[in-house]
Amino acid sequence: MSAPEKKNLRNNRSGGALTEKQAAELKEAQKLRNYTIGFVVVLALLVVIAAFAVVNSLLSSSGYLDRKTVAVTIDGQDISSAELNYYYIDSVNSFYNTLRSNYGDYAGLYGQFIYGIDFSKALGDQEHPNGGTWADYFVNQATQSAKSTYALCKAARAEGISLNEDSQASLENEIAMIGFYANLSGTKDSTAYLKAMYGNGATEESFRSYCEDSLLASQYYNSHLDSLVYDDAAIREAEKDKYNEYSSYTGNYYYISSSSFLQGGVEGEDGTVTYSEEARAAALEAAKAAAEELTSRKYLNAEAFDKAIADMEINKGSNVSSTVFTNQLYSQVTSVIRDWITDSSRQAGDCTYLPSETTDSEGNTVVNGYYVAYFESVNDNTQPLANVRHLLVAFSGGTTDENGNKVYSDEEKAEALAKAEDYLAQWEAGEKTEDSFAAMVTELTDDTASKESGGLYQNISPASQYVENFLNWAIDDSRKPGDTGIVETEYGYHIMYYVGDSDLTYRDQMIIDDLKTADQNTWAEGIIASVEMTEKNTSRLNRNIVIGSSN
């Protein structure tokens, strides 16, 4: 190879080495550039996400998304999540308040026992017995309530009906109470209070619209209910073949379980005792024999029946008696003995035994024991409804016990009683008329609900929801027009005045109530079915609501 060629080769090699170095540098530079571009893109994306999160948070807190998201469409009208949320929250509150009203401080326990709902857990985390979650259940309640309200309002407005004076007053009172509760809770204003109650989408304007629709629907519904009138012929026609259904029964029953006669058995390692089929059959025969023995006698009264029960061998040394039912309507009588107790041939003192049957997993009928029934009397409920007036002298003072209940001392009660006796004496010293009693009530009563009507309560029946002593005085069979008396209840002392019997009997009232229920339901269902509802997006309704303590 010539010297020039060697020189060229060295030059080429040198140039080649430089090219490789440059390529590596270029490669690193390109990698760095790619990383840089990727970082910038990711950073930009994070900024966008963060910005979106901030905007979304602002939109959520402002309630904009709740007001713009269509939850359901009813008859072509869009109902936003914010609007449906009023129905949703009120549905939850209504359920809870009903339990509180019925069971007080034990509402949570009864909620778990009866309905399987735990107030200390989120509704969306709890399965409903009929499927889905409890949150799903209340969302469905809300949509159905919204549909019913819309349909009734639409029908009312089509007839040119608007809020009457009483409904309008209720509306204004409802709105005013929001301001009152806002001040009471320390919330800065009504809007803030509504948001705390119903979510960020709530506004005073939409809440007022919700209340107005609810009141109009209720007014229209009740107006139609009040318009339903039935003459005697319609009542008697409805009563045909239903004598039992509107009568009440008094008697006793006692359950004899075959398990009380089981003998032998083998105890397992876990402490469970098992019995052979022969032992179970023998126990059932013994229970039947005991039932036959108990019904083989003629009892003069329920006390004698209870004595015979206490004397049974299986009850020796224990304080056992029968279950008493007094003036119990047909539908409320224990199903096992219902047909026997309501038989038209039944006579006072009759006694029988009837098998208690269940169905096993294979569909077979299984007898577990026997009910022994004792019949005392039947009441056809033809007694007239009662009309009374009352003047309430409420207890004053009082203290709160460990259960949160208001209690009053003997001195505080005596003070209220003395005042009630004084009022009654003043009335008796005057004209002693119904009008003078009503005038005294208007001036002195502590019952604001009946103040303007002179303490008048009409058509009181045994099923009426009045406090016990008040009710018992009013429906006493011996009551005569002009009778007076003083009764004590948890509210104070009531000065009672018996106005007289209603033209309507308790039996006919029950028949009318059933007729009204059937006709009203048919009417309402027709109106509600006339509108269509389509669920759109209910995801913004809070399914994580926790009602409160489980206690």
Side-chain angles (χ1 to χ4, degrees):
M1 181 180 293
S2 66
E5 287 174 339
K6 290 180 179 178
K7 183 178 180 181
N8 287 337
L9 179 59
R10 288 195 301 268
N11 289 339
N12 288 339
R13 285 178 177 173
S14 176
L18 179 63
T19 301
E20 289 174 4
K21 181 180 179 181
Q22 288 175 337
E25 290 174 346
L26 285 172
K27 186 175 181 180
E28 288 299 319
Q30 183 65 39
K31 186 187 294 184
L32 179 62
R33 181 171 176 271
N34 289 339
Y35 284 158
T36 303
I37 291 173
F39 176 73
V40 171
V41 169
V42 170
L43 182 61
L45 183 60
L46 289 174
V47 170
V48 170
I49 291 173
F52 176 78
V54 170
V55 171
N56 187 64
S57 177
L58 290 173
L59 290 175
S60 294
S61 62
S62 70
Y64 177 83
L65 294 177
D66 293 327
R67 291 191 290 273
K68 291 301 180 181
T69 301
V70 178
V72 294
T73 299
I74 302 175
D75 209 36
Q77 178 174 321
D78 290 339
I79 308 297
S80 71
S81 292
E83 292 169 321
L84 186 62
N85 208 40
Y86 292 125
Y87 294 96
Y88 176 60
I89 297 299
D90 281 353
S91 178
V92 173
N93 287 338
S94 177
F95 177 85
Y96 176 71
N97 290 334
T98 298
L99 283 179
R100 286 287 300 179
S101 176
N102 290 336
Y103 305 112
D105 292 338
Y106 299 101
L109 294 176
Y110 276 92
Q112 287 184 310
F113 180 72
I114 299 174
Y115 298 101
I117 183 172
D118 188 340
F119 292 160
S120 66
K121 295 180 180 179
L123 295 176
D125 293 338
Q126 302 184 65
E127 291 186 6
H128 189 275
N130 296 331
T133 67
W134 272 97
D136 296 331
Y137 168 80
F138 286 116
V139 169
N140 182 64
Q141 290 285 97
T143 57
Q144 294 303 316
S145 180
K147 180 183 180 182
S148 300
T149 298
Y150 178 87
L152 290 168
C153 285
K154 179 184 177 183
R157 287 168 180 142
E159 295 180 27
I161 298 172
S162 58
L163 292 183
N164 58 28
E165 187 176 333
D166 288 342
S167 296
Q168 189 65 45
S170 295
L171 173 63
E172 299 307 327
N173 181 66
E174 188 75 27
I175 300 303
M177 290 304 292
I178 292 299
F180 171 77
Y181 288 131
N183 290 330
L184 195 65
S185 64
T187 313
K188 65 178 183 179
D189 54 33
S190 296
T191 298
Y193 179 79
L194 286 171
K195 286 186 175 183
M197 285 289 295
Y198 295 105
N200 290 324
T203 65
E204 290 187 63
E205 181 182 4
S206 62
F207 179 72
R208 184 183 184 90
S209 178
Y210 164 69
C211 291
E212 185 172 354
D213 286 350
S214 298
L215 285 166
L216 180 59
S218 179
Q219 173 188 312
Y220 185 60
Y221 182 92
N222 290 330
S223 176
H224 182 269
L225 184 63
D226 292 340
S227 72
L228 298 175
V229 178
Y230 305 91
D231 59 19
D232 189 66
I235 295 172
R236 300 285 75 82
E237 179 65 26
E239 185 186 25
K240 279 184 178 178
D241 303 320
K242 295 182 179 179
Y243 175 84
N244 292 340
E245 291 187 25
Y246 300 107
S247 298
S248 297
Y249 300 85
T250 297
N252 304 61
Y253 64 84
Y254 175 67
Y255 180 59
I256 302 176
S257 173
S258 62
S259 62
S260 300
F261 298 89
L262 281 170
Q263 294 183 358
V266 178
E267 184 174 349
E269 293 181 0
D270 61 354
T272 302
V273 179
T274 58
Y275 298 91
S276 65
E277 289 299 319
E278 291 77 10
R280 291 186 178 280
L284 184 60
E285 281 301 314
K288 183 177 182 180
E292 289 176 338
E293 169 62 23
L294 200 57
T295 57
S296 65
R297 316 171 199 176
K298 184 72 174 178
Y299 300 104
L300 295 177
N301 49 45
E303 287 76 14
F305 179 61
D306 272 344
K307 185 178 185 308
I309 292 172
D311 289 342
M312 293 174 65
E313 189 63 34
I314 59 172
N315 294 330
K316 293 292 186 182
S318 60
N319 186 21
V320 177
S321 61
S322 62
T323 298
V324 181
F325 54 96
T326 304
N327 274 332
Q328 202 163 69
L329 289 171
Y330 170 84
S331 59
Q332 299 169 351
V333 175
T334 302
S335 59
V336 175
I337 67 172
R338 185 182 298 158
D339 289 342
W340 179 84
I341 211 84
T342 59
D343 190 291
S344 59
S345 65
R346 199 61 51 232
Q347 299 291 320
D350 283 356
C351 194
T352 195
Y353 69 93
L354 300 155
S356 172
E357 298 175 338
T358 58
T359 303
D360 64 17
S361 58
E362 298 178 356
N364 300 314
T365 299
V366 178
V367 177
N368 300 305
Y370 294 88
Y371 277 90
V372 179
Y374 171 80
F375 177 81
E376 185 172 317
S377 64
V378 58
N379 180 358
D380 61 9
N381 290 318
T382 54
Q383 68 271 30
L385 301 180
N387 300 324
V388 304
R389 293 184 186 272
H390 88 121
L391 186 157
L392 173 63
V393 178
F395 296 133
S396 60
T399 57
T400 303
D401 65 14
E402 63 275 10
N403 296 320
N405 301 315
K406 200 70 173 290
V407 294
Y408 300 91
S409 66
D410 291 340
E411 291 76 14
E412 289 168 333
K413 289 186 175 183
E415 181 181 347
L417 177 58
K419 186 183 291 187
E421 290 173 338
D422 181 56
Y423 288 164
L424 181 56
Q426 290 181 39
W427 174 79
E428 289 176 335
E431 299 176 359
K432 294 181 63 174
T433 64
E434 181 185 347
D435 288 343
S436 65
F437 188 91
M440 180 176 68
V441 172
T442 302
E443 179 185 355
L444 301 173
T445 189
D446 291 324
D447 178 18
T448 56
S450 66
K451 185 181 183 72
E452 296 304 316
S453 67
L456 182 63
Y457 287 99
Q458 295 176 295
N459 293 335
I460 301 174
S461 76
S464 296
Q465 299 299 305
Y466 295 103
V467 286
E468 185 177 8
N469 289 347
F470 182 103
L471 177 63
N472 289 342
W473 191 93
I475 64 173
D476 190 316
D477 288 340
S478 66
R479 201 64 60 216
K480 298 289 189 298
D483 282 356
T484 58
I486 297 176
V487 299
E488 178 186 354
T489 72
E490 61 192 90
Y491 302 106
Y493 285 98
H494 304 254
I495 307 173
M496 308 293 294
Y497 179 93
Y498 194 78
V499 175
D501 297 343
S502 170
D503 293 334
L504 197 62
T505 67
Y506 179 36
R507 186 180 188 84
D508 285 358
Q509 180 66 73
M510 286 191 286
I511 297 171
I512 290 171
D513 287 344
D514 282 352
L515 286 170
K516 280 192 169 188
T517 297
D519 290 344
Q520 182 77 354
N521 286 345
T522 300
W523 171 81
E525 287 167 4
I527 290 176
I528 295 168
S530 69
V531 302
E532 293 186 358
M533 179 177 70
T534 304
E535 186 170 322
K536 297 291 188 178
N537 181 3
T538 61
S539 63
R540 295 199 63 81
L541 298 185
N542 183 9
R543 285 170 162 77
N544 294 319
I545 291 176
V546 177
I547 295 178
S549 170
S550 60
N551 294 325

